Coordinates of all heavy atoms in Angstrom, one line a residue:
M8 N 0.8 -1.2 0.0 CA 0.0 0.0 -0.1 C 0.9 1.2 0.0 O 1.3 1.7 1.0 CB -0.9 0.0 1.2 CG -1.9 1.1 1.4 SD -2.8 0.9 2.9 CE -4.2 1.8 2.4
S9 N 1.1 1.8 -1.1 CA 2.0 3.0 -1.2 C 1.2 4.1 -1.6 O 1.1 4.6 -2.8 CB 3.1 2.7 -2.2 OG 2.5 2.5 -3.4
T10 N 0.4 4.7 -0.6 CA -0.3 6.0 -0.9 C 0.1 7.0 0.0 O 0.7 6.8 1.1 CB -1.8 5.6 -0.8 OG1 -2.6 6.8 -1.0 CG2 -2.1 5.1 0.6
D11 N -0.2 8.2 -0.4 CA 0.2 9.4 0.5 C -1.0 9.8 1.5 O -0.8 10.8 2.2 CB 0.6 10.6 -0.3 CG 2.1 10.3 -1.0 OD1 2.8 9.5 -0.3 OD2 2.3 10.9 -2.0
T12 N -2.1 9.1 1.4 CA -3.1 9.4 2.3 C -3.2 8.3 3.4 O -3.3 7.1 3.1 CB -4.5 9.3 1.5 OG1 -4.4 10.1 0.4 CG2 -5.7 9.8 2.4
P13 N -3.2 8.7 4.7 CA -3.3 7.8 5.7 C -4.8 7.2 5.8 O -5.7 7.7 5.2 CB -3.1 8.7 7.0 CG -2.8 10.0 6.6 CD -3.0 10.1 5.2
P14 N -4.8 6.0 6.4 CA -6.1 5.3 6.4 C -7.1 6.1 7.3 O -6.7 7.0 8.1 CB -5.7 4.0 7.1 CG -4.6 4.3 8.0 CD -3.8 5.3 7.1
D15 N -8.4 5.9 7.1 CA -9.5 6.6 7.8 C -9.4 6.2 9.3 O -9.6 7.1 10.1 CB -10.8 6.0 7.2 CG -11.9 6.8 8.0 OD1 -12.0 8.1 8.1 OD2 -12.8 6.0 8.5
R16 N -9.0 5.0 9.6 CA -9.0 4.5 10.9 C -7.7 3.8 11.2 O -7.3 2.8 10.3 CB -10.2 3.7 11.3 CG -10.4 3.3 12.8 CD -11.7 2.9 13.1 NE -11.9 2.4 14.4 CZ -12.8 1.9 15.0 NH1 -14.0 1.8 14.2 NH2 -12.9 1.6 16.3
L17 N -7.0 4.0 12.4 CA -5.8 3.2 12.6 C -5.6 3.2 14.2 O -6.0 4.0 14.9 CB -4.6 4.0 12.1 CG -3.2 3.3 12.1 CD1 -3.2 2.0 11.3 CD2 -2.1 4.2 11.6
S18 N -5.1 2.0 14.6 CA -4.9 1.8 16.0 C -3.5 1.3 16.3 O -2.9 0.6 15.4 CB -5.9 0.7 16.5 OG -5.6 0.3 17.8
N19 N -2.9 1.6 17.3 CA -1.5 1.0 17.6 C -1.6 -0.1 18.5 O -0.6 -0.6 19.1 CB -0.7 2.1 18.3 CG -1.1 2.6 19.6 OD1 -2.2 2.2 20.1 ND2 -0.3 3.6 20.2
D20 N -2.8 -0.7 18.7 CA -3.0 -2.0 19.6 C -2.9 -3.2 18.6 O -3.7 -3.2 17.7 CB -4.3 -1.9 20.2 CG -4.7 -3.2 21.0 OD1 -3.7 -4.0 21.3 OD2 -5.8 -3.4 21.3
P21 N -1.9 -4.1 18.9 CA -1.8 -5.3 17.9 C -2.9 -6.2 17.9 O -3.1 -6.9 16.9 CB -0.5 -6.0 18.4 CG 0.2 -5.0 19.2 CD -0.7 -4.0 19.8
G22 N -3.8 -6.1 18.8 CA -5.0 -6.9 18.8 C -6.2 -6.4 18.1 O -7.2 -7.1 17.9
S23 N -6.1 -5.1 17.7 CA -7.1 -4.5 16.9 C -7.1 -4.9 15.4 O -6.0 -5.1 14.9 CB -7.0 -3.0 17.1 OG -7.9 -2.3 16.2
R24 N -8.3 -4.9 14.8 CA -8.3 -5.2 13.4 C -7.8 -4.0 12.6 O -7.6 -4.1 11.4 CB -9.7 -5.6 12.9 CG -10.8 -4.6 13.1 CD -12.1 -5.1 12.7 NE -13.1 -4.0 12.7 CZ -14.1 -4.0 12.0 NH1 -14.4 -4.9 11.1 NH2 -15.0 -3.0 12.1
F25 N -7.7 -2.9 13.2 CA -7.3 -1.6 12.5 C -5.8 -1.3 12.7 O -5.3 -0.3 12.4 CB -8.0 -0.4 13.0 CG -9.6 -0.5 12.8 CD1 -10.4 -0.9 13.9 CD2 -10.0 -0.4 11.5 CE1 -11.8 -1.0 13.5 CE2 -11.4 -0.6 11.2 CZ -12.3 -0.8 12.2
Y26 N -5.1 -2.4 13.2 CA -3.6 -2.2 13.4 C -2.9 -2.5 12.1 O -3.2 -3.5 11.4 CB -3.2 -3.2 14.5 CG -1.8 -3.3 14.7 CD1 -1.1 -2.3 15.6 CD2 -1.0 -4.3 14.2 CE1 0.3 -2.4 15.8 CE2 0.4 -4.4 14.5 CZ 0.9 -3.5 15.3 OH 2.3 -3.5 15.5
D27 N -1.9 -1.6 11.8 CA -1.1 -1.8 10.7 C 0.4 -1.5 10.9 O 0.7 -0.2 11.0 CB -1.6 -1.1 9.4 CG -0.8 -1.5 8.2 OD1 0.2 -2.0 8.2 OD2 -1.5 -1.2 7.1
E28 N 1.2 -2.5 11.3 CA 2.6 -2.1 11.7 C 3.4 -1.3 10.7 O 4.1 -0.4 11.0 CB 3.3 -3.4 12.0 CG 4.7 -3.2 12.6 CD 5.3 -4.5 13.1 OE1 4.7 -5.5 12.9 OE2 6.4 -4.4 13.6
A29 N 3.2 -1.6 9.4 CA 4.0 -0.9 8.4 C 3.6 0.6 8.4 O 4.4 1.4 8.2 CB 3.6 -1.5 7.0
L30 N 2.3 0.9 8.5 CA 1.9 2.3 8.5 C 2.4 3.0 9.8 O 2.9 4.2 9.7 CB 0.4 2.4 8.4 CG -0.2 2.1 7.0 CD1 -1.8 2.1 7.2 CD2 0.3 3.0 5.9
L31 N 2.3 2.3 10.9 CA 2.8 2.9 12.1 C 4.4 3.2 12.1 O 4.8 4.2 12.6 CB 2.5 2.0 13.4 CG 1.0 2.0 13.7 CD1 0.7 0.9 14.7 CD2 0.4 3.3 14.1
N32 N 5.1 2.3 11.5 CA 6.6 2.4 11.3 C 6.8 3.6 10.4 O 8.0 4.3 10.6 CB 7.2 1.2 10.9 CG 7.3 0.1 11.9 OD1 7.2 0.4 13.1 ND2 7.3 -1.2 11.4
R33 N 6.0 3.9 9.5 CA 6.2 5.0 8.6 C 6.0 6.3 9.3 O 6.7 7.3 9.0 CB 5.2 4.9 7.4 CG 5.4 5.9 6.3 CD 4.5 5.7 5.1 NE 4.5 6.7 4.2 CZ 3.9 6.9 3.2 NH1 2.9 6.0 2.9 NH2 4.0 8.0 2.4
G34 N 5.2 6.4 10.4 CA 5.1 7.5 11.1 C 3.9 8.3 10.7 O 3.7 8.8 9.6
I35 N 2.9 8.5 11.6 CA 1.7 9.3 11.3 C 1.5 10.4 12.4 O 1.7 10.2 13.6 CB 0.4 8.4 11.4 CG1 0.6 7.3 10.3 CG2 -0.8 9.1 11.4 CD1 -0.7 6.6 10.0
G36 N 1.2 11.6 11.9 CA 1.0 12.7 12.7 C -0.5 12.9 12.9 O -1.2 12.7 11.9
I37 N -1.0 13.3 13.9 CA -2.4 13.6 14.3 C -2.6 15.0 14.7 O -1.9 15.4 15.7 CB -3.0 12.5 15.3 CG1 -2.7 11.2 14.9 CG2 -4.5 12.8 15.6 CD1 -3.5 10.7 13.7
R38 N -3.5 15.7 14.2 CA -4.0 17.0 14.7 C -5.4 16.9 15.0 O -6.2 16.5 14.3 CB -3.8 18.1 13.6 CG -4.1 19.5 14.1 CD -3.7 20.5 13.1 NE -2.3 20.6 12.8 CZ -1.7 20.5 11.7 NH1 -2.4 20.2 10.7 NH2 -0.5 20.5 11.6
F39 N -5.7 17.1 16.3 CA -7.1 17.1 16.9 C -7.5 18.4 17.3 O -6.8 19.1 18.2 CB -7.0 16.1 18.0 CG -8.4 15.9 18.7 CD1 -9.5 15.2 18.0 CD2 -8.6 16.3 19.9 CE1 -10.7 15.1 18.5 CE2 -9.9 16.2 20.5 CZ -10.9 15.6 19.8
N40 N -8.6 19.0 16.8 CA -9.1 20.3 17.0 C -8.1 21.4 17.0 O -7.8 22.2 17.8 CB -9.8 20.3 18.5 CG -11.0 19.5 18.5 OD1 -11.7 19.4 17.5 ND2 -11.4 19.1 19.6
G41 N -7.1 21.2 15.9 CA -6.2 22.3 15.7 C -4.8 22.1 16.5 O -3.9 22.9 16.2
Q42 N -4.7 21.1 17.3 CA -3.5 20.8 18.1 C -2.9 19.6 17.7 O -3.6 18.6 17.7 CB -3.8 20.9 19.6 CG -4.1 22.3 20.1 CD -4.2 22.3 21.6 OE1 -4.4 21.3 22.2 NE2 -3.9 23.5 22.2
E43 N -1.6 19.6 17.5 CA -1.0 18.3 17.2 C -0.9 17.5 18.5 O -0.5 17.9 19.5 CB 0.5 18.5 16.7 CG 1.2 17.3 16.1 CD 2.5 17.5 15.4 OE1 2.7 18.7 15.0 OE2 3.2 16.6 15.2
R44 N -1.2 16.2 18.3 CA -1.2 15.3 19.5 C -0.2 14.1 19.3 O -0.1 13.7 18.1 CB -2.6 14.6 19.7 CG -3.8 15.6 19.9 CD -3.8 16.3 21.3 NE -3.8 15.3 22.3 CZ -4.9 15.2 23.1 NH1 -6.0 15.9 22.9 NH2 -4.9 14.3 24.1
T45 N 0.5 13.7 20.3 CA 1.4 12.7 20.2 C 1.1 11.4 21.1 O 1.8 10.5 21.0 CB 2.8 13.1 20.7 OG1 2.7 13.5 22.0 CG2 3.4 14.2 19.7
N46 N 0.0 11.6 21.7 CA -0.5 10.4 22.7 C -1.7 9.7 22.2 O -2.4 9.1 23.0 CB -0.6 11.0 24.1 CG -1.7 12.0 24.1 OD1 -2.1 12.6 23.2 ND2 -2.2 12.3 25.4
V47 N -2.0 9.7 20.9 CA -3.2 9.1 20.4 C -3.0 7.6 20.2 O -2.1 7.1 19.7 CB -3.5 9.7 19.0 CG1 -4.7 9.0 18.4 CG2 -3.7 11.1 19.2
E48 N -3.9 6.8 20.8 CA -3.9 5.3 20.8 C -4.6 4.9 19.5 O -4.2 3.9 18.9 CB -4.5 4.7 22.0 CG -3.8 5.0 23.3 CD -2.6 4.3 23.5 OE1 -2.5 3.1 23.1 OE2 -1.6 4.8 24.1
E49 N -5.6 5.5 19.0 CA -6.5 5.1 18.0 C -7.2 6.4 17.5 O -7.5 7.3 18.3 CB -7.5 4.0 18.4 CG -8.3 3.4 17.2 CD -9.2 2.3 17.6 OE1 -9.2 2.0 18.9 OE2 -9.9 1.8 16.8
Y50 N -7.4 6.5 16.1 CA -8.2 7.5 15.6 C -9.1 7.1 14.5 O -8.9 6.0 13.9 CB -7.3 8.6 15.1 CG -6.6 8.3 13.8 CD1 -7.2 8.6 12.5 CD2 -5.3 7.7 13.8 CE1 -6.6 8.3 11.4 CE2 -4.7 7.4 12.6 CZ -5.3 7.7 11.4 OH -4.7 7.3 10.2
C51 N -10.1 7.9 14.2 CA -11.1 7.7 13.1 C -11.4 9.1 12.5 O -12.0 9.8 13.2 CB -12.3 7.0 13.5 SG -13.4 6.6 12.1
I52 N -11.0 9.2 11.3 CA -11.3 10.6 10.7 C -12.7 10.8 10.3 O -13.2 11.8 10.6 CB -10.3 10.8 9.4 CG1 -8.9 10.7 9.8 CG2 -10.7 12.1 8.6 CD1 -7.9 10.6 8.6
S53 N -13.4 9.8 9.7 CA -14.7 10.0 9.2 C -15.7 10.1 10.4 O -16.7 11.0 10.3 CB -15.1 8.8 8.4 OG -15.1 7.6 9.1
E54 N -15.5 9.5 11.5 CA -16.4 9.6 12.7 C -15.9 10.8 13.6 O -16.7 11.2 14.5 CB -16.4 8.3 13.4 CG -17.1 7.2 12.6 CD -17.0 5.9 13.4 OE1 -16.8 5.8 14.6 OE2 -17.3 4.8 12.7
G55 N -14.7 11.2 13.4 CA -14.3 12.5 14.2 C -14.0 12.2 15.6 O -14.5 12.9 16.5
W56 N -13.2 11.2 16.0 CA -12.7 10.9 17.3 C -11.3 10.4 17.4 O -10.8 9.9 16.4 CB -13.7 10.0 18.0 CG -13.9 8.6 17.4 CD1 -15.0 8.4 16.5 CD2 -13.1 7.5 17.5 NE1 -14.9 7.0 16.1 CE2 -13.7 6.4 16.6 CE3 -11.9 7.2 18.1 CZ2 -13.1 5.2 16.5 CZ3 -11.4 5.9 17.9 CH2 -12.0 4.9 17.2
I57 N -10.7 10.5 18.6 CA -9.5 9.9 18.9 C -9.6 9.2 20.3 O -10.5 9.5 21.0 CB -8.3 10.9 19.0 CG1 -8.5 11.9 20.1 CG2 -8.1 11.6 17.6 CD1 -7.3 12.9 20.3
R58 N -8.8 8.3 20.5 CA -8.6 7.6 21.9 C -7.3 7.9 22.4 O -6.2 7.8 21.8 CB -8.9 6.0 21.8 CG -10.3 5.7 21.5 CD -10.4 4.3 21.8 NE -11.8 3.8 21.6 CZ -12.7 3.9 22.6 NH1 -12.4 4.4 23.7 NH2 -14.0 3.5 22.3
V59 N -7.3 8.4 23.7 CA -6.0 8.6 24.4 C -6.0 7.9 25.6 O -7.1 7.6 26.2 CB -5.8 10.2 24.6 CG1 -5.7 10.8 23.4 CG2 -7.0 10.7 25.4
A60 N -4.8 7.5 26.1 CA -4.6 6.7 27.3 C -4.9 7.6 28.5 O -4.6 8.8 28.5 CB -3.2 6.1 27.4
A61 N -5.5 7.0 29.5 CA -5.7 7.7 30.8 C -4.7 7.5 31.8 O -4.7 6.6 32.7 CB -7.0 7.1 31.4
G62 N -3.6 8.2 31.5 CA -2.4 8.1 32.5 C -1.8 6.8 32.4 O -1.6 6.2 31.3
R63 N -1.4 6.2 33.5 CA -0.8 4.8 33.5 C -1.8 3.7 33.9 O -1.4 2.6 34.1 CB 0.3 4.8 34.6 CG 1.4 5.7 34.3 CD 2.5 5.4 35.3 NE 3.4 6.6 35.4 CZ 4.2 6.8 36.3 NH1 4.3 6.0 37.3 NH2 4.9 7.8 36.4
A64 N -3.1 4.1 34.0 CA -4.1 3.1 34.4 C -4.3 1.9 33.3 O -4.2 2.2 32.2 CB -5.5 3.8 34.5
L65 N -4.3 0.8 33.9 CA -4.5 -0.5 33.0 C -5.8 -1.2 33.3 O -6.2 -1.1 34.4 CB -3.3 -1.4 33.2 CG -1.9 -0.8 32.9 CD1 -0.9 -1.9 33.3 CD2 -1.8 -0.4 31.5
D66 N -6.3 -1.8 32.3 CA -7.5 -2.6 32.5 C -7.1 -4.0 33.0 O -5.9 -4.3 33.2 CB -8.4 -2.7 31.3 CG -7.8 -3.4 30.2 OD1 -6.7 -4.1 30.3 OD2 -8.4 -3.4 29.0
R67 N -8.1 -4.8 33.2 CA -7.7 -6.2 33.8 C -6.9 -7.1 32.8 O -6.3 -8.1 33.2 CB -8.9 -6.9 34.3 CG -9.9 -7.2 33.1 CD -11.1 -7.9 33.7 NE -12.1 -8.1 32.6 CZ -13.3 -8.1 32.7 NH1 -13.9 -8.1 33.9 NH2 -14.1 -8.2 31.7
R68 N -6.8 -6.8 31.6 CA -6.0 -7.5 30.6 C -4.6 -6.9 30.4 O -3.9 -7.4 29.6 CB -6.8 -7.5 29.3 CG -8.1 -8.3 29.3 CD -8.7 -8.3 28.0 NE -10.2 -8.8 28.2 CZ -11.2 -8.1 28.3 NH1 -11.0 -6.7 28.3 NH2 -12.4 -8.6 28.5
G69 N -4.4 -5.8 31.1 CA -3.0 -5.1 31.0 C -3.0 -4.1 29.9 O -1.9 -3.6 29.6
Q70 N -4.1 -3.8 29.3 CA -4.1 -2.7 28.2 C -4.4 -1.4 28.9 O -5.1 -1.3 29.9 CB -5.2 -3.1 27.3 CG -5.0 -4.4 26.5 CD -3.7 -4.4 25.6 OE1 -3.4 -3.4 25.0 NE2 -3.0 -5.4 25.7
P71 N -3.8 -0.3 28.3 CA -4.2 1.0 28.8 C -5.6 1.4 28.7 O -6.3 1.0 27.8 CB -3.3 1.9 28.0 CG -2.9 1.2 26.8 CD -3.0 -0.3 27.2
I72 N -6.1 2.0 29.7 CA -7.5 2.5 29.7 C -7.6 3.8 28.9 O -6.7 4.6 29.0 CB -8.1 2.7 31.2 CG1 -8.2 1.5 31.9 CG2 -9.4 3.5 31.1 CD1 -8.6 1.7 33.4
T73 N -8.5 3.8 27.9 CA -8.5 5.0 27.0 C -9.8 5.8 27.1 O -10.9 5.2 27.5 CB -8.3 4.5 25.6 OG1 -9.4 3.6 25.3 CG2 -7.1 3.8 25.4
F74 N -9.7 7.0 26.7 CA -10.8 7.9 26.7 C -11.1 8.4 25.2 O -10.1 8.6 24.6 CB -10.7 9.2 27.6 CG -10.8 9.0 29.0 CD1 -9.5 9.1 29.8 CD2 -12.0 8.7 29.6 CE1 -9.6 8.8 31.2 CE2 -12.0 8.3 31.1 CZ -10.8 8.5 31.8
K75 N -12.3 8.5 24.9 CA -12.7 8.8 23.5 C -13.0 10.4 23.5 O -13.8 10.8 24.3 CB -13.9 8.0 23.0 CG -14.2 8.2 21.5 CD -15.4 7.4 21.2 CE -15.3 6.7 20.0 NZ -16.5 5.9 19.6
H76 N -12.4 11.1 22.6 CA -12.7 12.5 22.5 C -13.1 12.8 21.2 O -12.5 12.3 20.1 CB -11.3 13.3 22.7 CG -10.8 13.2 24.2 ND1 -11.3 13.8 25.2 CD2 -9.8 12.5 24.6 CE1 -10.6 13.5 26.2 NE2 -9.7 12.6 25.9
K77 N -14.2 13.5 21.0 CA -14.8 13.9 19.7 C -14.4 15.2 19.2 O -14.2 16.2 20.1 CB -16.2 13.8 19.7 CG -16.8 12.3 19.9 CD -18.3 12.3 19.7 CE -18.7 10.8 19.7 NZ -19.2 10.4 18.5
G78 N -14.1 15.3 17.9 CA -13.7 16.7 17.4 C -13.2 16.4 15.9 O -13.4 15.4 15.4
S79 N -12.6 17.5 15.5 CA -12.0 17.3 14.1 C -10.7 16.7 14.1 O -9.7 17.0 14.9 CB -11.9 18.7 13.4 OG -10.9 19.5 14.1
V80 N -10.5 15.7 13.3 CA -9.3 14.9 13.2 C -8.6 15.0 11.9 O -9.3 14.9 10.8 CB -9.6 13.5 13.6 CG1 -8.3 12.6 13.5 CG2 -10.3 13.2 14.9
E81 N -7.3 15.4 11.8 CA -6.5 15.3 10.6 C -5.3 14.4 10.8 O -4.7 14.3 11.8 CB -6.0 16.7 10.3 CG -7.1 17.8 10.1 CD -6.4 19.2 10.0 OE1 -5.4 19.3 9.3 OE2 -6.9 20.0 10.7
A82 N -5.0 13.6 9.8 CA -3.8 12.7 9.8 C -2.9 12.9 8.7 O -3.4 13.3 7.6 CB -4.3 11.3 10.0
W83 N -1.6 12.7 8.8 CA -0.6 12.9 7.7 C 0.5 11.9 8.1 O 0.7 11.6 9.2 CB -0.2 14.3 7.5 CG 0.6 14.9 8.7 CD1 2.0 14.8 8.7 CD2 0.2 15.4 9.9 NE1 2.4 15.4 10.0 CE2 1.3 15.8 10.7 CE3 -1.1 15.7 10.4 CZ2 1.2 16.4 11.8 CZ3 -1.1 16.4 11.6 CH2 0.0 16.7 12.3
F84 N 1.3 11.6 6.9 CA 2.5 10.8 7.1 C 3.5 11.8 7.5 O 3.8 12.7 6.8 CB 2.8 10.0 5.9 CG 1.8 8.8 5.8 CD1 0.9 8.8 4.6 CD2 1.8 7.8 6.7 CE1 0.1 7.7 4.5 CE2 1.0 6.7 6.4 CZ 0.2 6.7 5.4
K85 N 4.4 11.4 8.4 CA 5.5 12.3 8.8 C 6.6 12.1 7.9 O 7.4 13.1 7.8 CB 5.9 11.9 10.3 CG 5.0 12.4 11.3 CD 5.5 12.0 12.7 CE 4.5 12.5 13.9 NZ 5.0 12.3 15.1
S86 N 6.8 10.9 7.4 CA 8.0 10.7 6.4 C 7.6 10.3 5.1 O 6.5 9.8 4.9 CB 9.0 9.8 7.0 OG 8.4 8.6 7.3

């Protein structure tokens, strides 16, 4: 997949069906409501939301607890 447009939805959780290691290694930048974010766990451009970790809190499976924030989402490839 050699395109200059990032996917509509992407997750950095290997257990998710939206996980793509090659795209994550390429580097993706996220701008949420006009501010660049570096702590995004998952995003969806068409639905307008991001998920961010809630500090160091973990669920019972050892995954970070996340909060969903709604707003305008822009994504681009860093390299």
Side-chain angles (χ1 to χ4, degrees):
M8 182 179 204
S9 62
T10 178
D11 288 333
T12 307
D15 178 57
R16 188 167 177 179
L17 187 64
S18 174
N19 65 0
D20 176 20
S23 171
R24 67 181 183 152
F25 299 106
Y26 177 79
D27 189 340
E28 186 174 359
L30 291 176
L31 292 171
N32 286 337
R33 186 172 173 188
I35 294 195
I37 301 293
R38 185 173 291 123
F39 180 70
N40 289 337
Q42 290 187 335
E43 189 169 342
R44 302 289 298 255
T45 58
N46 61 344
V47 176
E48 297 286 326
E49 184 176 2
Y50 73 86
C51 183
I52 296 171
S53 63
E54 295 176 13
W56 56 262
I57 62 170
R58 286 197 178 273
V59 294
R63 294 188 206 163
L65 301 175
D66 66 7
R67 62 182 173 204
R68 294 179 194 96
Q70 299 296 320
I72 294 176
T73 60
F74 289 111
K75 186 184 223 179
H76 298 282
K77 292 186 172 248
S79 65
V80 180
E81 301 172 46
W83 69 91
F84 288 114
K85 291 184 178 181
S86 56

